[in-house]
Amino acid sequence: MNALIKQFLIAGFCLMSLATTTSAQTTQTETNPRLSSPVTNQALNEQLRVARDLLRKRNYAGAAAYLEKLYTENNTNELIFNLLRTCYLNLKQWTKAEIISQRFTELYPQKAKYYSFLGDAYIKEGRREDALNAYLKSATLCDDQGAMRITTILESLLNENFIDHAVRIIDSIRILRNETTLLALQRGRALESGGHYTAAAGEYFIALNTATSAAAAERKLHSMLDFPTSSEETEQALVALAPVSSNFRAFRLLTNYYLGHNNYEKASGYAIRQDSAEGFKGTALVQFARNCQERELFAEVVRMTAYLRSQYANQPFMVDINLLQADALVRLDRLEEALALYDTVATTISVPGPIGEALYKTGMVYYSQLRDYDKALVYFDSVVNHYRRGKIYLDAKLTIPRVYLAKGDLTEADKHLEILSKRHMTEDAAEEVMFYRGLIRFFNKQFDSSRADFQKMMVKHPRGYYLNDALQLLILMDESIDSPQLLHEYSSARLFEERQMPDSAIVHLQAVADASNRAIADFALYRLASTTINRTDTSAVLNCLERLIEEFPESYYLPYSLKMKADIFFVDETTTEDARLIYRRLLEEFPTYPFIPDVREKMRREEHDRS
């Protein structure tokens, strides 16, 4: 800023009755070689190198002692000042930092940075008024190239809640420069701190249209939208301002805001406007569809992918979009439409990866939903024989044994698993093979062999995905060692579960749960609840869980049963409070269990929704 700006600021500060710390200053001239000349002495350069090495090693006390000796002989050297000040700040020697900063304001009275440093030292000492005066003095000394320094000063003022002073400095600079958008990020922060959210959103919106501050402004607006007190005003401000400049960041903020608040019509509308602001590339719409998929909003995925097809039918990304839409249709149980889309991908493109994925997912529909196991095997075999690379190939190889299990052909399933066990695979895949080989022996009532397989798996994969399943079966076999009939019943139940025959599984589980021998009744009740919940029979599930919780308070499955019960309560508004009470109990009594992160996330979301 020029001399006029300086005069204006000084006058403004006087009107605010703010004293400036102008100590008696010794007249210095630019001809004084000790003040203006850069360090040229080779010995001093070497000494400074030693000091920097000490600082790099974080030996601040050693560096300070070394630099203080240099300072006595070179007490006007700015490099030594900077290094020594760094030491004092890291050592929390605020008084020393103040003294040396004060000294350099006297040596260099026209340099803004030393007054700013002095203000920082005063803050650390708790001398807020002195700090304010130092910062204001620093502001009057900033020239046209001092934008970075002004920003630093404003941040210091805002950090110490000198809100009005920061705003007045910004307004003075805007008037004198005749630029109403200067320092919008800092002015927005000041207004936000004062609770003026609409005005703050307006300033952040200005910053949103400036390349250097756009990302920071977007983060600020996102935080205001997420904060209950400021959310409504920020939303209204953005709705009013976004169309004015067609800023893609503003549309993106509104898209995510409405998506988070379950207003899908507005969310998709702003996603479309974001796409327009970005030059009709389709990227924003693809991201919106993926965000909906992550939130399990499958109907919205279908709607947006259909829109994408109508606008970008020939774009390369439409292959992925077709797969994404088909996946969503599967989750909506619209299987014929999903299969048609998978077939479109498999038959109309020449890229091996997506073709293999489409064939694999078609096989999964026949396996998991339609239970047409022979047809599923045709598709999985096609992947294995024709697309022998990548994750889809391995997934198909791993799924084939499970299809034979579903068919009840344990021999064929084990044959495929044995072949896989001899291949080099990822650690996760190797663990899965080991688990299912042990499970087949469990189904065949070869309990000793099954136990040995699970123990070997747990040693080789101590943090694996199937660790908890193997551990539960080992506990089950140990607890029923004197009750072979119960173990046989459960083995049959578990096989029917794997074969996707829940009615038959429930019959065997019920027999174990109601047996006079209670050795593994708690486990049977837990599995009954797990099996029944997939059939959406909530009352039956809760009945099993209540029995387990009341009859087996020391059971290994107690915390898992409490978690399942809380999850059921959580989705019903009339029992949400009951769910919260159970979740709190789980956090207090079972803080290390694997489901605890999910509990914390549910409570966080529920608290956010309530606020």
Side-chain angles (χ1 to χ4, degrees), residues 268-429:
S268 60
Y270 279 111
I272 291 170
R273 296 178 78 170
Q274 180 190 341
D275 181 51
S276 171
E278 291 177 334
F280 298 103
K281 299 175 183 177
T283 309
L285 305 181
V286 171
Q287 187 58 52
F288 179 82
R290 295 196 184 284
N291 288 344
C292 289
Q293 182 191 41
E294 289 175 6
R295 293 169 178 264
E296 299 189 356
L297 302 172
F298 301 114
E300 298 307 315
V301 174
V302 171
R303 272 191 279 273
M304 182 51 76
T305 50
Y307 178 81
L308 275 162
R309 186 178 295 104
S310 70
Q311 301 296 315
Y312 298 98
N314 299 318
Q315 292 299 314
F317 61 71
M318 284 309 302
V319 174
D320 291 335
I321 290 302
N322 285 334
L323 289 170
L324 187 67
Q325 184 176 18
D327 294 346
L329 289 167
V330 170
R331 298 297 295 271
L332 294 172
D333 206 31
R334 294 162 59 178
L335 302 182
E336 287 188 12
E337 296 171 76
L339 290 172
L341 263 179
Y342 288 139
D343 184 64
T344 297
V345 173
T347 58
T348 60
I349 64 170
S350 58
V351 184
I355 295 175
E357 184 177 352
L359 292 172
Y360 174 76
K361 289 181 173 179
T362 299
M364 287 301 296
V365 171
Y366 283 112
Y367 165 48
S368 298
Q369 272 84 17
L370 299 176
R371 301 180 187 176
D372 186 339
Y373 303 127
D374 291 332
K375 207 161 195 177
L377 285 171
V378 169
Y379 283 96
F380 294 139
D381 286 339
S382 179
V383 174
V384 168
N385 292 326
H386 300 290
Y387 303 95
R388 304 177 64 85
R389 290 184 180 181
K391 183 177 180 298
I392 289 298
Y393 171 75
L394 181 58
D395 287 344
K397 292 284 287 185
L398 290 169
T399 307
I400 287 171
R402 298 189 65 175
V403 178
Y404 281 111
L405 273 178
K407 286 166 64 73
D409 191 341
L410 305 187
T411 302
E412 191 67 21
D414 193 51
K415 185 177 78 173
H416 280 271
L417 288 168
E418 184 180 10
I419 293 170
L420 279 169
S421 69
K422 297 174 182 177
R423 294 173 55 93
H424 177 72
M425 293 182 292
T426 65
E427 187 172 341
D428 289 344

Side-chain angles (χ1 to χ4, degrees), residues 443-462:
F443 294 155
N444 283 323
K445 316 302 189 276
Q446 300 168 345
F447 299 122
D448 289 339
S449 297
S450 177
R451 181 184 285 106
D453 284 345
F454 290 143
Q455 289 172 339
K456 183 179 178 181
M457 186 208 85
M458 292 173 67
V459 169
K460 195 164 185 178
H461 305 281

